[in-house]
């Protein structure tokens, strides 16, 4: 059994909270630059230039990428040969969020109760997803999620007869109706299958996939490409002011489902598609 002190988890989370709010991954930045080359509508080109400049400023370390520094979504894949020592793992994650958001001067955006709405003051609690996997390592993914885009996300329990056409219509309608609200260009995470709760998680996890690698399944790689093309033909464009770049990518994750159902979820992320990963 490998023993990991939960302090290591807190330290990793605190560091990733600051890092993700200042640095986008290389695939997202590369995609924004490539889309800029394709834009001939001057307003769209100007907005993409400003987005790139904003990324450079954030990397200087003083200002975060966006004023909405997100609700902390944390995914922990814990090897079953690992034992966590030194206290509660969940509390260690929240301590890392508390420290990262305080030391990094990041906005605290969490209310303790959804209706009475008093700010917790330290951006906790994190939304934590635990998974037990084989091995003696721990993989932690930190993804702060802004709510301009989260609010535009949708779930639908389609009948199986709706098929791929139903999925296609639902994804495109969701992105079209979102308009400028999720600060396009967006990244579109699509979950297909599972149950009502599982499909939302699939869509959220799809947002963590690299933009520069196609789906491993050629059927879904083709569907991702087709959806991206159709979404970019909507004409919403950067910040909703027209253009070819409504989405940077569409990523799909699937799961087996019941014979009577076809759950679909669309989790939209903005161009500030923040995430980082560490393996302990
Ligand atoms: S949707 Fe994204 S870019 Fe827009 S305010 Fe929220 S975090 Fe910022």
């Amino acid at each position: 059994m490998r023993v990991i002190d939960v302090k290591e988890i807190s330290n990793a989370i605190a560091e990733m909270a600051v890092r993700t709010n200042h640095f986008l991954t290389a695939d997202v930045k590369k995609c924004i630059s490539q889309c800029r080359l394709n834009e001939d509508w001057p307003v769209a080109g100007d907005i993409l230039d400003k987005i790139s400049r904003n990324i450079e400023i954030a990397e200087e370390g003083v200002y975060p990428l966006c004023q909405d520094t997100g609700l902390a979504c944390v995914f922990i894949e814990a090897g079953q040969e690992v034992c966590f020592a030194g206290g509660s793992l969940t509390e260690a994650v929240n301590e890392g969020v508390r420290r990262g958001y305080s030391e990094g001067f990041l906005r605290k955006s969490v209310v303790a109760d959804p209706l009475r709405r008093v700010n917790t003051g330290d951006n906790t609690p994190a939304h934590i997803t635990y998974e037990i996997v084989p091995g003696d390592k721990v993989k932690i993914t930190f993804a702060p999620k802004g709510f301009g885009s989260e609010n535009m996300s949708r779930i639908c329990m389609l009948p199986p007869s709706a098929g791929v056409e139903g999925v296609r219509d639902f994804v495109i309608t969701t992105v079209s109706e979102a308009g400028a609200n999720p600060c396009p260009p967006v990244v579109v995470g699509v979950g297909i299958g599972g149950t009502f709760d599982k499909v939302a998680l699939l869509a959220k996890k799809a947002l963590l996939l690299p933009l520069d690698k196609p789906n491993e399944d050629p059927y879904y790689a083709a569907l991702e490409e087709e959806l991206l093309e159709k979404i970019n033909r909507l004409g919403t464009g950067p910040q909703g002011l027209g253009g070819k770049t409504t989405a940077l990518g569409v990523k799909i994750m699937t799961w087996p489902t019941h014979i009577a159902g076809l759950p679909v979820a669309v989790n939209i992320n903005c161009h500030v598609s923040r995430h980082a990963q560490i393996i302990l």
Side-chain angles (χ1 to χ4, degrees):
M1 211 66 172
R2 183 174 163 223
V3 177
I4 295 183
D5 193 310
V6 293
K7 277 200 199 78
E8 274 193 65
I9 308 289
S10 295
N11 293 343
I13 297 279
E15 185 275 326
M16 285 194 286
V18 178
R19 175 153 52 102
T20 51
N21 272 295
H22 286 273
F23 295 90
L24 289 181
T25 48
D27 57 317
V28 178
K29 291 195 286 184
K30 194 169 107 198
C31 192
I32 292 170
S33 305
Q34 279 168 348
C35 290
R36 172 65 185 95
L37 298 176
N38 288 335
E39 280 291 359
D40 34 30
W41 169 232
V43 176
D46 186 46
I47 292 168
L48 291 176
D49 285 341
K50 286 190 165 72
I51 285 174
S52 292
R53 179 69 191 123
N54 183 62
I55 292 169
E56 286 170 8
I57 292 170
E59 286 178 348
E60 288 163 12
V62 180
Y63 302 105
L65 285 150
C66 182
Q67 44 77 33
D68 183 351
T69 52
L71 188 149
C73 296
V74 179
F75 301 85
I76 297 189
E77 288 177 33
Q80 63 193 36
E81 290 157 42
V82 172
C83 168
F84 294 99
S88 149
L89 177 57
T90 297
E91 184 39 45
V93 170
N94 284 320
E95 175 56 22
V97 170
R98 198 172 285 125
R99 266 181 33 215
Y101 276 75
S102 158
E103 290 165 10
F105 302 104
L106 303 171
R107 193 182 85 183
K108 287 78 179 170
S109 309
V110 176
V111 292
D113 179 276
L115 293 181
R116 287 167 289 187
R117 309 199 72 83
V118 177
N119 198 304
T120 61
D122 58 8
N123 220 48
T124 67
H127 173 54
I128 313 171
T129 305
Y130 291 109
E131 199 180 328
I132 304 296
V133 296
D136 65 354
K137 303 258 186 302
V138 180
K139 182 156 96 179
I140 308 171
T141 306
F142 188 90
K145 188 69 171 70
F147 262 52
S149 54
E150 193 75 351
N151 286 340
M152 294 295 112
S153 302
R154 299 287 181 266
I155 193 165
C156 183
M157 302 302 283
L158 289 170
S161 58
V164 67
E165 291 78 16
V167 170
R168 208 183 270 129
D169 287 352
F170 179 65
V171 173
I172 293 168
T173 302
T174 300
V175 178
S176 173
E177 288 178 357
N181 293 303
C183 299
V186 295
V187 179
V188 185
V190 180
I192 309 173
T195 54
F196 182 78
D197 50 334
K198 177 78 179 180
V199 77
L201 180 61
L202 290 171
K204 175 138 274 125
K205 285 175 89 170
L207 293 175
L208 306 173
L209 297 170
L211 289 178
D212 53 1
K213 287 206 183 96
N215 200 300
E216 281 173 12
D217 181 333
Y219 175 82
Y220 286 105
L223 186 57
E224 286 175 351
E225 210 175 304
E226 183 196 342
L227 286 168
L228 180 61
E229 198 188 312
K230 290 194 164 138
I231 287 168
N232 281 335
R233 272 201 248 125
L234 290 171
T236 307
Q239 297 300 331
L241 294 172
K244 296 178 186 166
T245 320
T246 300
L248 299 172
V250 177
K251 307 304 289 182
I252 298 175
M253 282 187 86
T254 64
W255 196 259
T257 191
H258 192 279
I259 51 171
L262 176 51
V264 191
V266 178
N267 195 196
I268 299 183
N269 207 355
C270 56
H271 60 278
V272 183
S273 181
R274 297 162 286 199
H275 49 89
Q277 217 166 66
I278 196 168
I279 295 176
L280 296 175

